Amino acid sequence: MKAAGPIPPDYQWRDGELMIGGRTAAAWIDAAGDTPLFVYDLNIVRDRIARFRAAFSGVSLHYAVKANPHPPLIKAIAPLVDGIDVASAGEAQRALDAGMDARRISFAGPGKRDRELAMAIEAGITLNLESGNEADRALAIGRGIGRTPRLALRINPDFELKGSGMKMGGGAKPFGVDADQAAAIIARIVAAGAEYRGLHIFAGSQALDPAALIEAQASAVALAARLSEEAGVAPPHVNLGGGFGIPHFANDLALDEVAVGAALADTLASRPAILRDAEFTIELGRWLVGEAGVYLTRIVDRKASHGEIFLVVDGGLHHQLAASGNFGTVVRRNYPISLTKLPGSGMVEDVSVVGCLCTPIDRLGDHVGLPRAEVGDVVALFLAGAYGASASPQAFLGHPAPGELTIDGTDIL
Ligand SMILES: *Cc1c(COP(=O)(O)O)cnc(C)c1O
C-alpha cells in the first residue's frame, strides 16, 4: 500500500458520507445528473481569501484565473479579490464577463497574438509584457487604434523560488525579460507615451516552505527597486508573483502564510524610496481554489489481475491529469483520495483506481488503501479545484466533458 496526500481539513463526514458544502456528495451528483463531476465549494475559497487578508494587510490579492476558469467560480471570486490575472484573450474575456473592472485585470503570458494585444488595449487591460518585441508591438497597436496602452513589464528574475514545484524564474526562461534588458524597455514604454503600470516578478509555483517564499519576496522587492532606479521611473504597481503551494502528497505540510505575511510586512516597511507609492500585489491560483474542489467519479468495474485489485472509474486523466501524475510532477505520488461513503468497519484493502482511458498512465490512485468498494460506489479525488478540468486533455478518447458545479452552502451558483 502507498500513502496518499492529506484530505484537506475543510471536509467532513456525516453518518459515513462525504459532505461538500452543506450537502452530501451523492446529493450533488443527483443535482448534476451524472458523474464524473467537479464540485467547487465557494466557502473554502472565501476562507482562503480571509486568511490572505488577515496575513497580508495592505497587500493586494489577484486571482490567477488559469488555475480554474469555470465562469460561475470566477464570477463569485471577482468581487472578493482586487484583480484577476489572465494568460490569454479568452481568459481576459471571462474576467470581463465576471464583472471585473478592466483596470484590475492584467494579462501575462508568452506568445500574445496581435489580436490579443488589441483586445486587451481596447478594453483597458494591463499587459504584462514578456519581451521588448512585445512592447513594440503593443505600442504600435495602441497607436493604430488610438488608445493609450497600459503596460507593465514582466521580469525574468535573477533568483528562483527554492523548492517550488514549477520554476518559472532564474536562468534562461521564455517568461519575462532578463533583468539587464528591463531598464531600456521601461524607458521606451515611458518615452512612447504609454501608461507605465510597473513590474511583474513571478519566480515559481507550489512552494510550501515559508522561508523560500520569504526569501523570494524579499528578492523581488529588491529587484523591483534596483530596476526602477536604473530606469529612473517609480512603478505604480509591483506584482510580486505568488507561488503559494498546497499539500498534495503524504508528509506535505500546509504553508504557514502568517509567517510569510509578517516577513513581507517587514520587507515592505523598509523598502527603498523609489517603491514608496507602489501598490504591491500577490497573485494566487491553486492556494485559493485547489482545496475547494473535489472530483467525483463512479466505479464501473472491479477486477483482479495478478493479485492486484483494480477499481475502474468513469473518469480519468482526461479530466484530472494532475492526479495521474502527468502534469508537472517528476515522480508519481497519490493525491488525497477516498470513497464518498465509508462503511462502519475500518478495514481497508490495497487497490489501484484507474480511469477509463486505454493507456497505462491513466491511474488516479496507485496501491491506495480504501474500504472495500463495489461497482456503483463513488471515489472522491481531492485538490481538484485547480488545474483540473481546464488543464486536462478532455478531447483524448472522445469522452464527454465532466460536470462542474460551483456551490455556496446548499446552493448551486
Ligand atoms: C500559473 C501562474 C500563477 C498561478 O500559479 P499557482 O501555482 O496556481 O498559484 C500566477 N502567476 C503566473 C504568472 C502564472 O503563470
Side-chain angles (χ1 to χ4, degrees):
M1 211 136 38
K2 296 181 186 170
I7 293 175
D10 310 86
Y11 294 91
Q12 272 100 45
W13 269 260
R14 194 178 294 163
D15 301 327
E17 287 204 56
L18 172 65
M19 303 296 295
I20 308 174
R23 298 165 86 179
T24 60
W28 295 121
I29 294 171
D30 281 349
D34 205 359
T35 50
L37 174 66
F38 286 89
V39 184
Y40 312 123
D41 181 352
L42 183 60
N43 267 319
I44 297 177
V45 181
R46 277 201 199 97
D47 171 81
R48 301 304 186 269
I49 293 172
R51 274 165 52 183
F52 180 89
R53 299 293 188 199
F56 293 86
S57 115
V59 176
S60 296
L61 173 63
H62 282 197
Y63 174 47
V65 83
K66 86 170 187 280
N68 191 328
H70 189 51
L73 185 66
I74 309 176
K75 193 165 180 213
I77 291 175
L80 306 175
V81 295
D82 307 303
I84 290 186
D85 291 336
V86 302
S88 70
E91 286 190 353
Q93 192 56 53
R94 287 193 185 198
L96 292 169
D97 292 346
M100 180 53 73
D101 180 350
R103 284 167 305 178
R104 308 298 311 180
I105 300 174
S106 53
F107 180 178
K112 298 183 195 78
R113 306 175 68 157
D114 282 354
R115 62 168 179 261
E116 293 184 289
L117 297 173
M119 177 271 187
I121 294 167
E122 188 73 60
I125 290 168
T126 297
L127 288 165
N128 289 347
L129 300 167
E130 303 275 347
S131 72
N133 170 294
E134 196 174 89
D136 294 336
R137 286 166 54 223
L139 291 168
I141 289 169
R143 277 194 300 274
I145 61 176
R147 296 290 298 260
T148 304
R150 291 161 62 85
L151 303 179
L153 190 60
R154 180 170 179 180
I155 308 298
N156 171 25
D158 46 11
F159 58 88
E160 61 183 33
L161 176 55
K162 296 202 179 90
S164 72
M166 275 190 214
K167 291 193 176 46
M168 293 178 73
K173 290 287 180 307
F175 311 109
V177 305
D178 292 356
D180 60 3
Q181 302 169 14
I185 298 173
I186 295 168
R188 218 149 80 217
I189 292 170
V190 172
E195 183 178 346
Y196 173 58
R197 293 300 305 151
L199 299 167
H200 176 210
I201 303 173
F202 180 81
S205 264
Q206 184 50 18
L208 292 170
D209 176 10
L213 280 163
I214 289 168
E215 191 187 312
Q217 289 178 348
S219 302
V221 171
L223 179 59
R226 175 162 71 77
L227 299 179
S228 300
E229 279 158 8
E230 257 176 56
V233 184
H237 186 247
V238 178
N239 182 330
L240 296 171
F244 295 16
I246 56 175
H248 285 86
F249 308 118
N251 306 319
D252 280 356
L253 292 179
L255 173 69
D256 178 358
E257 81 280 0
V258 174
V260 179
L264 181 58
D266 285 348
T267 299
L268 293 181
S270 59
R271 66 186 182 270
I274 197 153
L275 301 182
R276 197 185 51 219
D277 296 326
E279 174 189 359
F280 290 88
T281 293
I282 289 182
E283 54 180 358
L284 299 176
R286 105 181 48 228
W287 192 82
L288 294 181
V289 296
E291 292 168 308
V294 186
Y295 179 60
L296 302 169
T297 176
R298 197 178 292 280
I299 298 169
V300 292
D301 201 0
R302 177 191 164 100
K303 56 197 282 192
S305 170
H306 289 268
E308 184 172 346
I309 298 166
F310 291 94
L311 303 176
V312 186
V313 295
D314 61 5
L317 70 73
H318 54 312
H319 301 157
Q320 225 342 30
L321 182 67
S324 76
N326 293 291
F327 186 70
T329 41
V330 180
V331 181
R332 194 210 171 284
R333 289 178 290 173
N334 289 312
Y335 267 44
I337 188 169
S338 165
L339 299 180
T340 59
K341 284 195 181 137
L342 301 181
S345 99
M347 291 255 290
V348 296
E349 58 178 6
D350 179 329
V351 296
S352 289
V353 177
V354 296
C356 58
L357 302 190
C358 208
T359 158
I361 63 171
D362 193 6
R363 194 173 272 247
L364 300 176
D366 182 38
H367 288 282
V368 289
L370 292 182
R372 186 181 164 98
E374 302 297 341
V375 169
D377 289 346
V378 174
V379 171
L381 273 154
F382 297 87
L383 312 186
Y387 307 108
S390 71
S392 303
Q394 289 194 26
F396 189 35
L397 270 89
H399 290 289
E404 290 182 272
L405 292 182
T406 299
I407 62 154
D408 186 2
T410 56
D411 297 330
I412 297 171
L413 296 179

